[in-house]
Amino acid sequence: MEKMKLIIDGKRLDGRDLSELRPIKIQAGILNKADGSAYIEWGKNKILAAVYGPRECIPHHEASPYRAVIHCRYSMAPFSSLEEHGRSGPSRRSMEISKVIREVFENVIITEQFPKTAIDIFIEILQADGGTRCAGITAAAVALANAGIPMKDLPCAVAAVKIDGQIGVDSAKLEDNFGEGDMPIAIATRKNELLLIQMDGMMSKEEFLKAISMAVEASSKINALQTQALRELYSTKIGEIGPEESD
Amino acid sequence: MVKIVVPGEVISEAPKPTNFAFVENGKTYSSALALFDEVNFRLIPLEGAYIPNINDIVVGVISEVKFAGYTVDIKSPYMGFLPGKELRVELQLGDVVSAKVREVDEVKNIILSFPRKLIGGEILEILSVKVPRVIGKKNSMLDMIKEVTKSEILVGKNGRVWIKGGNSAVAAGAILKIEKEAHILGLTDRINAFLKEESKS
């Protein structure tokens, strides 16, 4: 089989440059019953994130007297993609992604303030087109802020990709499947610390470093969109924001 | 000047610890989605769960009757415990009480005291972070609502509001309006206009 060409005339399959992100739309606070929620459309990905808590930790034996524990569930809807994903309940893949996403948030949430409780994060992939864990982390961060949970940072994530020997950011499904390597990276934007880094495929050391620096560059754009989504919730047509008298 | 800050946003280049902020490497950052009041240097959170503090007045619902007292749901991640010896009468599951937080320890065991059984009326749930706005400076907002509606209103720090008698529908409407518009300037005037408009009809 002939190898698939992923870069034609310097443009990627969907017409993007190597350092260009797909269009991203984030909306915060869209679920009434959740403490915090967010909906993200990242290219063709459509993802809902909901946060509950801090609330009573169930099962009780998992609760810690020192900090809140974080539960995270990433799950793909059965109708989310063309392949086997999400066909029936939790899979090896979704359990792994739930675990790595939980660890991203364990590093930013100030859990010591809520002993004995749990913070539950749910990420539902409604439609998948590559890079769902990155989009999921980005949406969940907005949902956590929307729930009023204290955090040291607003993390976001983006996948770097190696296609036709070149490094780019934000891999779409075809690039993910037929490229030479892809690397989801979650970044704490305040100090540009890496919270998650996974890689599927091969990259040389130079390519690896270039991938990270491109992802860091893209993260500031994503972070601006997250911040904007949160601000929009409270921006108003009635008048200026501001507290007046309060006790 | 007041602006909206998100978690991890710098609020000062100098280490100035305040509520809902943290200091790292000599700079102060916000830890919550909040309004930042630069003049008074304080953060007013826009969302968040209720965490009990000593001397808070809360409105709770009895969720369990135990040998030595009652477990009370206080709309918080933590349950309150009301010792039975505080009361002369027995309470039942589902009874509504107001109480004062007497003790909070490091693992957030909450002991309540001075219970008062609330009979009749209705309960409204709002975000606990908006409670100071419902009360207003020196009770001004609450007094205004009470004067117009003639209702008996008790506002718990946990974000439960008990309303009895009078024009309770208007009182509830006003409180929900405060919750929704707490961060927008000119709240008192808008609520005043709302109360006048609603109590006419």
Side-chain angles (χ1 to χ4, degrees), chain A residues 54-241:
Chain A
R55 64 180 180 183
E56 190 185 2
C57 183
I58 291 169
H60 275 282
H61 67 85
E62 274 183 16
S64 160
Y66 303 107
R67 61 187 65 84
V69 294
I70 297 167
H71 294 148
C72 178
R73 194 188 77 174
Y74 163 101
S75 83
M76 279 184 130
F79 48 81
S80 65
S81 79
L82 293 171
E83 286 155 37
E84 295 293 306
H85 291 324
R87 198 56 75 75
S88 62
S91 62
R92 184 201 56 75
R93 176 179 174 277
S94 70
M95 283 161 81
E96 175 209 311
I97 295 176
S98 301
K99 176 190 174 286
V100 295
I101 294 178
R102 189 187 77 224
E103 284 166 0
V104 166
F105 290 110
E106 276 172 353
N107 283 303
V108 289
I109 297 175
I110 307 172
T111 51
E112 294 81 8
Q113 286 184 12
F114 309 107
K116 297 200 292 189
T117 62
I119 295 167
D120 298 332
I121 304 168
F122 297 96
I123 297 169
E124 293 289 329
I125 314 297
L126 306 177
Q127 183 171 296
D129 186 47
T132 52
R133 79 191 69 184
C134 296
I137 289 169
T138 307
V142 174
L144 280 162
N146 181 227
I149 289 167
M151 290 193 285
K152 293 210 160 188
D153 214 322
L154 204 59
C156 66
V158 65
V161 64
K162 182 178 171 191
I163 39 175
D164 293 358
Q166 296 191 58
I167 302 294
V169 285
D170 189 13
S171 67
K173 188 175 180 335
L174 285 173
E175 297 168 338
D176 218 282
N177 293 162
F178 301 101
E180 287 132 75
D182 69 290
M183 182 162 71
I185 302 168
I187 296 157
T189 39
R190 187 161 55 88
K191 289 193 291 184
N192 287 338
E193 288 173 332
L194 299 183
L195 298 168
L196 161 74
I197 183 158
Q198 295 183 298
M199 182 156 69
D200 184 10
M202 296 279 226
M203 282 187 200
S204 69
K205 190 182 170 190
E206 289 72 37
E207 286 167 342
F208 176 81
L209 292 172
K210 188 174 181 207
I212 290 193
S213 70
M214 281 181 90
V216 167
E217 208 176 290
S219 74
S220 64
K221 290 178 205 157
I222 303 165
N223 191 248
L225 291 169
Q226 288 176 306
T227 311
Q228 189 197 338
L230 288 168
R231 293 221 166 98
E232 262 169 19
L233 261 186
Y234 296 97
S235 60
T236 155
K237 290 194 185 79
I238 305 171
E240 287 281 296
I241 53 159

Side-chain angles (χ1 to χ4, degrees), chain B residues 13 28 37 54 64 120 134 154 187:
Chain B
E13 297 291 331
T28 315
D37 179 357
I54 288 177
E64 200 179 346
V134 173
L154 194 133
L187 182 68

